[in-house]
Amino acid sequence: MKFTLSWLKEHLDTEANLTTILEALTKVGLEVEGVDDPAEKLGAFRIARVLSAAPHPQADKLQVLSVDVGQGDPLQVVCGAPNARAGLIGVLGQPGDYVPGLDVTLKIAAIRGVESRGMMCSMRELELGEGHDGIIELPADAPVGQVYVDWAGLADPVIDVAITPNRQDCMGVRGIARDLAAAGVGTLKSINLPSIAGQGDCPIEIRTDDPEGCPAFFGRVVKGVVNGDSPDWLARRLKAVGQRPISALVDITNYVMLDHGRPLHVYDLAKLHGPLVARKAKPGEQVLALNEKTYTLDETMTVIADAEGADDIGGIMGGERSGVTGATRDVLIECAYFTPESIARTGQKLGITSDARSRFERGVDPQFLAAGLAIATRMVMDICGGTPTQAIEAGTPPSGTKALRYDPSLTEKLAGLPVEADRQRTILASLGFGIDAVWNVSVPSWRRDIDGPADLVEEVVRIIGIDNIPSTPLPRAEGVARPTATQQQMIERRARRAAAARGLNEAVTWSFVSEAEAAPFGGGGWTLANPISEDLKVMRPSLLPGLIAAARRNADRGAGSIRLFEIGRRYLADRESVTLGLILAGDRSPRDWRSGKAQGFDAYDAKAEAVALLGASGAPVDRLQLFETVSAGVYHPGRSGSLRLGPKTVLAEFGELHPAIARAFDIEGTAVAAEIFLDAIPAKRGVAGHMREAYAPPALQAVRRDFAFLMAADKAADDLLRAVRGADKAAIVEARLFDVFVGPGVAEGEKSVAIEVVLQPAEKSFTDAELQAISERIVAAAAKLGARLRS
């Protein structure tokens, strides 16, 4: 939201300087993003008169000017502007002056052999407009030698304020002035609401057939207007805040929108046929908008239409067909109230961003329709002339008011800031709230964001100043501080550190994805009714969509090996799930003279990461079971699996991404991924406090034995490993698969599986008899799965 200092002072009676005002804006929660003061940029440029203009001896398109700057001898200036001539009064930049439009600092220079001691400037060169056909021409009575910005009234700082979505009342200059007045910077001036005596009935019917999307539709006709250029004060004010002056009628609507936060629209009455109606759009109905784009609408959108069809997209953008021009003589001024939710949905579907939409979807003052229409009508009459008709007020706007019960002691209870009751009453009253003797508070219609007593506390505290809240340390128990992290938080910390230590790079992605991205992962359980973008609409059911998109962006930028992980929440229909997601793409190892071409990742790499991270997180990896069942459509059906504790407790899923997923996300080559469900890791029992167990290495050396078993080729080796580990839980500390062989010497339909078993003695070394007994138990455990010792 941009406004000039002089514009603000039309609503705020204050002697405060710019610095004080800027500090007060930030104090009350209106963050100042920037200040642009033309006086600082253009303070050195002066009004000058061209005394003579002679052709340049070396260039046909250049002239050598003699310029009077009001003091000293005339300056010689080389100029190429076609309108440069003797007697012209313009704006001169002298050596040392910075020209913002050219980003250069002037200096004495020879141009085609002729010395030039300055520059006669155009509007574009001074960033005062787009005009660049010639140098600025000022009136004959412009005082030569005076600073140009002072004479032109441009010494008016432009303040840019960031307005949060909940402060719809500050989308106009008056709302900002109200906040400053409440903060003690000045006094809010009263609004001079004009009384318009309409002559005759409105010649066109105005109504609303869509009370849900457009509850109220006010309007009137002004006959006999002259739509020319806006007066200088209006055009200058709009240009200062980044608005391009178009015509007086259009500029008036933009001015009222910026001044009071009240969007309006004007129609050329001669271009309307039949009644003007707010209604739902017909499926497939099209509108050619003022931005010269055609939009196809659906039945959920509100339009303003006449007998020939939709004229504009209600509350978002006007239409080209009924727009005003220089030939317009009779104009209809529309002032309507559109439901914020409807405006937001329509704007998101059509992808239109406009000043009107940004205000209507936040919620404009529903009780300012008649006043806004009257203000706009008076401006039209004063600037364009014309005779107004009676106004038509179709529909009923919502009251926008609420009644709350308030307790002044809440400021200290909720915010820790004691404020006298009388001071609170004064603050709330200055913000437009009504308060009776027993603290029943009526909320003004322009404060849609106020819902309860806590909001009133916030209003009081921000005006008093958040900096005034005392800093009070939390109480602390005596002695050594105890850890405060929960067991779940400790799991997340261990998983994060382990992932980073294994060479994975942490990513932080959006918690929202598009419907298309959520669909392959089962769809989202929660969808935002008012998303900031259609691409950020669904709360993610999985961390993989964000990680896959991040991997693609890295690959597009030339990353050869991509190893990403993220710890965050998945949002399921019934709960949030703390999850670690990871993706591996590109090259696992680069090409090398020893190994040949680069090696890519496969599903086993994803499994290895999942098992390692589960182990680091405290999961009982020795009891994990491998299942082939995974989320349908996410992973390749033959190159994926899940790690579980029993058939129901799923700790992780891993595998190569399904080809359809890879195509949908535009991933080239093989990519593997995994999701570890950290909240499914069972809590450890009987652990007192957070003390880490002391490291106690075994006193005796471990014994290693290799076993080769023959088993059915379609049986999972993981089942055999678990059986071997369970053969003697006291002695066997590790069982590792190191070879799988199919070929000569192995019967068809079978495979040879070689396992290394690590035996750890406790109090004494194993005897041969004990080792033989353990081996027999291992062979017997394998036999129960149909495996036999290979001879």
Side-chain angles (χ1 to χ4, degrees), residues 513-527 538-545 548 570-574 630-635 653 658 661 665 675:
V513 296
S514 66
E515 289 182 323
E517 290 174 330
F521 299 88
W526 302 92
T527 301
V538 179
M539 300 189 77
R540 62 186 180 193
S542 167
L543 271 64
L544 295 185
I548 296 172
R570 295 180 301 134
Y571 300 94
L572 310 179
D574 57 341
V630 292
S631 300
V634 177
Y635 298 102
E653 292 185 343
H658 195 285
I661 294 286
F665 284 86
E675 280 192 300

Side-chain angles (χ1 to χ4, degrees), residues 544 547 579-583 606-607 609-610 635 652-655 672-676:
L544 295 185
L547 287 171
T579 304
L580 186 152
L582 64 90
I583 185 168
K607 179 189 175 185
E609 297 295 339
Y635 298 102
E653 292 185 343
F654 66 89
V672 299
E675 280 192 300
I676 302 171

Side-chain angles (χ1 to χ4, degrees), residues 142-215:
V144 174
Q146 185 172 340
V147 175
Y148 171 63
V149 291
D150 293 339
W151 174 83
L154 297 175
D156 191 8
V158 179
I159 304 169
D160 187 3
V161 174
I163 307 298
T164 54
N166 64 312
R167 293 305 308 279
Q168 66 282 342
D169 59 306
C170 288
M171 292 298 286
V173 179
R174 183 161 185 82
I176 295 173
R178 184 187 297 111
D179 267 18
L180 289 173
V185 176
T187 303
L188 186 67
K189 298 179 180 179
S190 59
I191 300 181
N192 183 19
L193 290 179
S195 177
I196 306 298
Q199 299 182 19
D201 294 334
C202 184
I204 184 172
E205 180 185 358
I206 297 174
R207 71 173 192 268
T208 176
D209 292 346
D210 180 18
E212 178 185 357
C214 180

Side-chain angles (χ1 to χ4, degrees), residues 420-746:
E420 297 84 356
D422 289 343
R423 175 73 172 123
Q424 294 191 51
R425 185 184 295 273
T426 300
I427 290 174
L428 293 175
S430 64
L431 291 171
F433 295 87
I435 310 104
D436 65 13
V438 293
W439 289 94
N440 291 310
V441 179
S442 59
V443 179
S445 57
W446 58 81
R447 290 307 300 271
R448 181 171 177 259
D449 58 306
I450 302 298
D451 286 326
D455 296 319
L456 298 178
V457 171
E458 181 182 358
E459 293 299 296
V460 172
V461 171
R462 72 180 181 87
I463 297 300
I464 292 291
I466 294 178
D467 291 343
N468 292 318
I469 297 177
S471 299
T472 305
L474 294 174
R476 176 179 174 180
E478 295 182 0
V480 179
R482 296 183 178 181
T484 58
T486 64
Q487 186 174 19
Q488 183 61 54
Q489 290 171 332
M490 294 301 297
I491 290 176
E492 292 182 38
R493 291 180 185 179
R494 288 193 292 265
R496 178 176 283 107
R497 290 175 180 174
R502 292 182 62 81
L504 300 176
N505 297 307
E506 185 171 11
V508 179
T509 66
W510 293 104
S511 295
F512 303 95
V513 296
S514 66
E515 289 182 323
E517 290 174 330
F521 299 88
W526 302 92
T527 301
L528 297 183
N530 186 21
I532 60 175
S533 167
E534 284 295 309
D535 292 334
L536 300 172
K537 185 176 184 179
V538 179
M539 300 189 77
R540 62 186 180 193
S542 167
L543 271 64
L544 295 185
L547 287 171
I548 296 172
R552 184 191 65 242
R553 289 192 295 271
N554 279 269
D556 291 344
R557 286 156 179 79
S561 182
I562 301 166
R563 305 163 185 255
L564 300 177
F565 83 96
E566 179 177 12
I567 295 179
R569 268 62 176 167
R570 295 180 301 134
Y571 300 94
L572 310 179
D574 57 341
R575 61 188 174 90
E576 296 180 15
S577 176
V578 183
T579 304
L580 186 152
L582 64 90
I583 185 168
L584 308 173
D587 298 337
R588 179 181 59 186
S589 57
R591 60 183 180 177
D592 186 79
W593 64 272
R594 293 165 296 179
S595 58
K597 63 180 182 180
Q599 302 295 315
F601 293 100
D602 58 26
Y604 294 106
D605 295 310
K607 179 189 175 185
E609 297 295 339
V611 171
L613 295 177
L614 281 171
S617 303
V621 293
D622 57 323
R623 295 193 287 115
L624 290 178
Q625 295 176 259
L626 178 64
F627 285 73
E628 296 182 3
T629 306
V630 292
S631 300
V634 177
Y635 298 102
H636 192 294
R639 302 170 189 171
S640 58
S642 59
L643 299 172
R644 310 188 182 199
L645 295 175
K648 293 184 178 180
T649 305
V650 182
L651 298 189
E653 292 185 343
F654 66 89
E656 181 181 320
L657 289 179
H658 195 285
I661 294 286
R663 286 194 300 270
F665 284 86
D666 197 22
I667 291 287
E668 295 183 1
T670 300
V672 299
E675 280 192 300
I676 302 171
F677 312 122
L678 300 178
D679 53 354
I681 297 176
K684 292 185 178 181
R685 299 177 181 177
V687 178
H690 299 270
M691 183 67 69
R692 180 182 300 176
E693 295 180 0
Y695 176 63
L700 301 174
Q701 185 174 351
V703 177
R704 299 176 184 273
R705 291 289 185 269
D706 294 345
F707 296 84
F709 296 99
L710 293 172
M711 61 184 300
D714 58 352
K715 288 284 188 179
D718 184 70
D719 295 337
L720 180 60
L721 283 172
R722 284 190 294 107
V724 169
R725 291 191 193 103
D728 190 328
K729 295 182 179 180
I732 299 175
V733 295
E734 185 180 357
R736 186 178 65 87
L737 175 69
F738 70 86
D739 183 57
V740 177
F741 175 74
V742 176
V746 177

